[in-house]
Amino acid sequence: MPENIQPLPGGPPIAFSRAGLAAGALRTLPIATGGLAFGVFYGFLAGQNGLTLLETSLMSALVFAGASQFLSVELWGDPLPVGALVATVLVVNARHLLMGATLAPWLKHVRPSRAYGSLYFLTDESWGLSVADMRNGGRDAAFLLGSGLTIFLFWNTGTLAGRVFGGMLPDLDRYGIDYLGTAFFVALLAGFWRGRGDLLPWLVAAAVALAMERTIPGTWYILGGALAGSLVGALRHAR
């Protein structure tokens, strides 16, 4: 049964229905196919870096954050840097706190179990589509869950396929395949470029990461660079 609670000013009540779930899923299908491809890529890299099929699948199901998972693959080693892994994932995904807050006009009117369950499947793509639907007058909060579940399904399917079929291939490091992760992040970074205002935070992040990599053992340089760049960017935004 759809959930209808108190209405917001200027419109009908917020719903949580199967129709909204289906609408979110259908709207997300074109984007989810891209998630399938990235999932295959992640599964392949995970196998090349020594993650088992179970570890690869659990990470996609429990972490469910592309950028964080690619970073985790780069950090993976023996001994496993648990502290650096956890801290890096938290820093990279801190933006989800703000993303979730923008959906409050929907989520504060549905039961907590449904609100938090929907937020578990929150991604950049499902957030963007849901905010657009909300601003266009959408009143069904299940749209967010339908969108997130669709991406989750495609991402995890791609992960399994990439890990299973990638595991059948020999060690491809001699062909330079180990640089695919670096290439992925360079391409991702280029897509985030918004102008000269981004230059200083990026340079600070790079400088701090390089300095820490040469002076501090382990993979803490990734976290240090991310924190330094984020702090500079936040200070510039505050001004």
mmCIF file of all heavy atoms in Angstrom, residues 108-126:
data_model
loop_
_atom_site.group_PDB
_atom_site.id
_atom_site.type_symbol
_atom_site.label_atom_id
_atom_site.label_comp_id
_atom_site.label_asym_id
_atom_site.label_seq_id
_atom_site.Cartn_x
_atom_site.Cartn_y
_atom_site.Cartn_z
ATOM 1 N N LYS A 108 11.475 13.403 5.052
ATOM 2 C CA LYS A 108 10.981 13.679 6.398
ATOM 3 C C LYS A 108 9.495 13.357 6.541
ATOM 4 O O LYS A 108 8.970 13.356 7.658
ATOM 5 C CB LYS A 108 11.243 15.122 6.784
ATOM 6 C CG LYS A 108 10.425 16.152 6.016
ATOM 7 C CD LYS A 108 10.800 17.558 6.456
ATOM 8 C CE LYS A 108 10.001 18.619 5.708
ATOM 9 N NZ LYS A 108 10.388 19.996 6.122
ATOM 10 N N HIS A 109 8.842 13.065 5.436
ATOM 11 C CA HIS A 109 7.416 12.760 5.479
ATOM 12 C C HIS A 109 7.115 11.273 5.318
ATOM 13 O O HIS A 109 5.952 10.894 5.191
ATOM 14 C CB HIS A 109 6.678 13.549 4.395
ATOM 15 C CG HIS A 109 6.643 15.023 4.661
ATOM 16 N ND1 HIS A 109 5.773 15.590 5.558
ATOM 17 C CD2 HIS A 109 7.406 16.022 4.165
ATOM 18 C CE1 HIS A 109 5.984 16.893 5.592
ATOM 19 N NE2 HIS A 109 6.967 17.170 4.766
ATOM 20 N N VAL A 110 8.168 10.429 5.276
ATOM 21 C CA VAL A 110 7.944 8.986 5.195
ATOM 22 C C VAL A 110 8.549 8.317 6.423
ATOM 23 O O VAL A 110 9.328 8.919 7.152
ATOM 24 C CB VAL A 110 8.552 8.376 3.908
ATOM 25 C CG1 VAL A 110 7.942 9.025 2.683
ATOM 26 C CG2 VAL A 110 10.070 8.513 3.893
ATOM 27 N N ARG A 111 8.182 7.093 6.659
ATOM 28 C CA ARG A 111 8.668 6.370 7.826
ATOM 29 C C ARG A 111 10.190 6.277 7.808
ATOM 30 O O ARG A 111 10.793 6.126 6.736
ATOM 31 C CB ARG A 111 8.058 4.968 7.888
ATOM 32 C CG ARG A 111 6.567 4.963 8.149
ATOM 33 C CD ARG A 111 6.132 3.606 8.714
ATOM 34 N NE ARG A 111 6.442 2.504 7.814
ATOM 35 C CZ ARG A 111 5.575 1.984 6.952
ATOM 36 N NH1 ARG A 111 4.348 2.504 6.855
ATOM 37 N NH2 ARG A 111 5.910 0.965 6.192
ATOM 38 N N PRO A 112 10.838 6.333 8.977
ATOM 39 C CA PRO A 112 12.310 6.257 9.032
ATOM 40 C C PRO A 112 12.875 5.033 8.330
ATOM 41 O O PRO A 112 13.923 5.124 7.678
ATOM 42 C CB PRO A 112 12.599 6.224 10.541
ATOM 43 C CG PRO A 112 11.444 6.949 11.155
ATOM 44 C CD PRO A 112 10.260 6.585 10.308
ATOM 45 N N SER A 113 12.235 3.889 8.443
ATOM 46 C CA SER A 113 12.749 2.685 7.800
ATOM 47 C C SER A 113 12.819 2.853 6.285
ATOM 48 O O SER A 113 13.765 2.391 5.639
ATOM 49 C CB SER A 113 11.869 1.478 8.159
ATOM 50 O OG SER A 113 10.536 1.685 7.731
ATOM 51 N N ARG A 114 11.834 3.545 5.727
ATOM 52 C CA ARG A 114 11.835 3.767 4.287
ATOM 53 C C ARG A 114 12.817 4.862 3.894
ATOM 54 O O ARG A 114 13.494 4.757 2.863
ATOM 55 C CB ARG A 114 10.419 4.116 3.823
ATOM 56 C CG ARG A 114 9.480 2.914 3.879
ATOM 57 C CD ARG A 114 8.077 3.254 3.446
ATOM 58 N NE ARG A 114 7.280 2.043 3.248
ATOM 59 C CZ ARG A 114 6.007 2.041 2.925
ATOM 60 N NH1 ARG A 114 5.364 3.194 2.777
ATOM 61 N NH2 ARG A 114 5.362 0.904 2.758
ATOM 62 N N ALA A 115 12.918 5.882 4.712
ATOM 63 C CA ALA A 115 13.846 6.972 4.419
ATOM 64 C C ALA A 115 15.290 6.477 4.450
ATOM 65 O O ALA A 115 16.053 6.677 3.501
ATOM 66 C CB ALA A 115 13.648 8.111 5.419
ATOM 67 N N TYR A 116 15.679 5.821 5.546
ATOM 68 C CA TYR A 116 17.057 5.360 5.669
ATOM 69 C C TYR A 116 17.354 4.203 4.718
ATOM 70 O O TYR A 116 18.489 4.061 4.231
ATOM 71 C CB TYR A 116 17.355 4.964 7.112
ATOM 72 C CG TYR A 116 17.377 6.143 8.055
ATOM 73 C CD1 TYR A 116 16.446 6.274 9.079
ATOM 74 C CD2 TYR A 116 18.326 7.148 7.898
ATOM 75 C CE1 TYR A 116 16.453 7.373 9.928
ATOM 76 C CE2 TYR A 116 18.351 8.249 8.742
ATOM 77 C CZ TYR A 116 17.413 8.354 9.761
ATOM 78 O OH TYR A 116 17.434 9.445 10.585
ATOM 79 N N GLY A 117 16.361 3.378 4.458
ATOM 80 C CA GLY A 117 16.554 2.315 3.476
ATOM 81 C C GLY A 117 16.833 2.876 2.092
ATOM 82 O O GLY A 117 17.692 2.376 1.361
ATOM 83 N N SER A 118 16.141 3.953 1.737
ATOM 84 C CA SER A 118 16.372 4.600 0.436
ATOM 85 C C SER A 118 17.751 5.237 0.390
ATOM 86 O O SER A 118 18.450 5.180 -0.634
ATOM 87 C CB SER A 118 15.294 5.658 0.189
ATOM 88 O OG SER A 118 14.007 5.081 0.145
ATOM 89 N N LEU A 119 18.175 5.853 1.493
ATOM 90 C CA LEU A 119 19.471 6.529 1.525
ATOM 91 C C LEU A 119 20.632 5.546 1.429
ATOM 92 O O LEU A 119 21.722 5.921 0.994
ATOM 93 C CB LEU A 119 19.602 7.360 2.811
ATOM 94 C CG LEU A 119 18.733 8.619 2.856
ATOM 95 C CD1 LEU A 119 18.796 9.263 4.232
ATOM 96 C CD2 LEU A 119 19.172 9.615 1.782
ATOM 97 N N TYR A 120 20.416 4.306 1.839
ATOM 98 C CA TYR A 120 21.479 3.302 1.707
ATOM 99 C C TYR A 120 21.881 3.135 0.240
ATOM 100 O O TYR A 120 23.051 2.887 -0.070
ATOM 101 C CB TYR A 120 21.013 1.966 2.276
ATOM 102 C CG TYR A 120 22.056 0.868 2.170
ATOM 103 C CD1 TYR A 120 23.052 0.752 3.131
ATOM 104 C CD2 TYR A 120 22.042 -0.024 1.102
ATOM 105 C CE1 TYR A 120 24.018 -0.244 3.035
ATOM 106 C CE2 TYR A 120 23.001 -1.021 0.995
ATOM 107 C CZ TYR A 120 23.984 -1.125 1.963
ATOM 108 O OH TYR A 120 24.943 -2.104 1.851
ATOM 109 N N PHE A 121 20.934 3.287 -0.667
ATOM 110 C CA PHE A 121 21.192 3.096 -2.095
ATOM 111 C C PHE A 121 21.448 4.418 -2.816
ATOM 112 O O PHE A 121 21.430 4.474 -4.048
ATOM 113 C CB PHE A 121 20.004 2.381 -2.742
ATOM 114 C CG PHE A 121 19.755 1.008 -2.174
ATOM 115 C CD1 PHE A 121 18.775 0.805 -1.215
ATOM 116 C CD2 PHE A 121 20.515 -0.071 -2.587
ATOM 117 C CE1 PHE A 121 18.541 -0.460 -0.689
ATOM 118 C CE2 PHE A 121 20.288 -1.336 -2.069
ATOM 119 C CZ PHE A 121 19.312 -1.535 -1.105
ATOM 120 N N LEU A 122 21.714 5.470 -2.063
ATOM 121 C CA LEU A 122 21.938 6.789 -2.655
ATOM 122 C C LEU A 122 23.252 6.821 -3.435
ATOM 123 O O LEU A 122 24.291 6.389 -2.941
ATOM 124 C CB LEU A 122 21.966 7.848 -1.546
ATOM 125 C CG LEU A 122 22.202 9.296 -1.996
ATOM 126 C CD1 LEU A 122 21.015 9.790 -2.818
ATOM 127 C CD2 LEU A 122 22.404 10.194 -0.773
ATOM 128 N N THR A 123 23.198 7.335 -4.632
ATOM 129 C CA THR A 123 24.382 7.573 -5.456
ATOM 130 C C THR A 123 24.285 8.976 -6.035
ATOM 131 O O THR A 123 23.237 9.632 -5.954
ATOM 132 C CB THR A 123 24.492 6.563 -6.608
ATOM 133 O OG1 THR A 123 23.397 6.785 -7.529
ATOM 134 C CG2 THR A 123 24.433 5.125 -6.100
ATOM 135 N N ASP A 124 25.375 9.432 -6.648
ATOM 136 C CA ASP A 124 25.333 10.749 -7.281
ATOM 137 C C ASP A 124 24.249 10.801 -8.346
ATOM 138 O O ASP A 124 23.547 11.809 -8.489
ATOM 139 C CB ASP A 124 26.692 11.066 -7.923
ATOM 140 C CG ASP A 124 27.796 11.234 -6.894
ATOM 141 O OD1 ASP A 124 27.489 11.583 -5.742
ATOM 142 O OD2 ASP A 124 28.972 11.024 -7.242
ATOM 143 N N GLU A 125 24.116 9.712 -9.094
ATOM 144 C CA GLU A 125 23.147 9.690 -10.192
ATOM 145 C C GLU A 125 21.714 9.652 -9.681
ATOM 146 O O GLU A 125 20.851 10.411 -10.167
ATOM 147 C CB GLU A 125 23.407 8.477 -11.096
ATOM 148 C CG GLU A 125 24.733 8.492 -11.818
ATOM 149 C CD GLU A 125 25.899 8.044 -10.933
ATOM 150 O OE1 GLU A 125 25.647 7.563 -9.803
ATOM 151 O OE2 GLU A 125 27.056 8.180 -11.377
ATOM 152 N N SER A 126 21.442 8.787 -8.705
ATOM 153 C CA SER A 126 20.072 8.704 -8.183
ATOM 154 C C SER A 126 19.696 9.988 -7.462
ATOM 155 O O SER A 126 18.535 10.413 -7.499
ATOM 156 C CB SER A 126 19.932 7.502 -7.246
ATOM 157 O OG SER A 126 20.731 7.639 -6.091
#
